[in-house]
């Protein structure tokens, strides 16, 4: 009987660890996808309009949606002809 309880607890701990691993992977993918979407919009804007815009312009004209409740956004413009530094950080 005690062996069954120990095995059950081990299985529960293994399942919990697996779920945590999946959640961490999904969180990292969300950050990567958010950065890629902003970068793609910035590059598209540069290709069409000839300069890299502020992030607010990307929101207004290129459909970029920022989830400020979930992420911090660092978008540093280096010049109108240089790709901005784009960093998304999970809150």
């Amino acid at each position: 009987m005690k062996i069954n309880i120990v095995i059950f607890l081990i299985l529960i701990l293994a399942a919990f660890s697996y779920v945590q691993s999946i959640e961490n992977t999904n969180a990292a993918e969300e950050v990567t996808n958010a950065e890629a979407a902003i970068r793609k919009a910035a590059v598209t804007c540069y290709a069409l309009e000839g300069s890299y815009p502020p992030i607010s312009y990307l929101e207004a004209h290129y459909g970029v949606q920022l989830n400020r409740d979930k992420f911090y956004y660092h978008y540093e413009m280096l010049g109108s002809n240089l790709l901005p530094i784009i960093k998304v950080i999970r809150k």
Side-chain angles (χ1 to χ4, degrees):
M1 188 67 152
K2 289 182 181 181
I3 293 176
N4 291 340
I5 293 173
V6 170
I7 291 173
F8 179 73
L9 290 175
I10 290 172
L11 290 175
I12 286 182
L13 289 173
F16 180 74
S17 175
Y18 180 71
V19 169
Q20 286 295 105
S21 170
I22 290 173
E23 287 177 2
N24 290 340
T25 300
N26 288 342
E29 286 178 5
E30 280 183 320
V31 167
T32 301
N33 291 341
E35 286 178 0
I38 295 168
R39 186 171 290 106
K40 181 179 178 182
V43 169
T44 300
C45 181
Y46 182 78
L48 295 175
E49 300 182 27
S51 64
Y52 290 104
I55 198 165
S56 59
Y57 188 85
L58 296 176
E59 286 181 280
H61 300 282
Y62 285 87
V64 172
Q65 296 179 359
L66 304 179
N67 185 347
R68 289 190 168 91
D69 293 332
K70 198 171 190 179
F71 301 106
Y72 294 110
Y73 297 93
H74 176 78
Y75 186 90
E76 183 179 348
M77 294 186 63
L78 305 171
S80 64
N81 63 339
L82 297 173
L83 183 64
I85 296 171
I86 301 167
K87 188 71 179 162
V88 177
I89 303 166
R90 190 172 204 50
K91 285 188 176 180

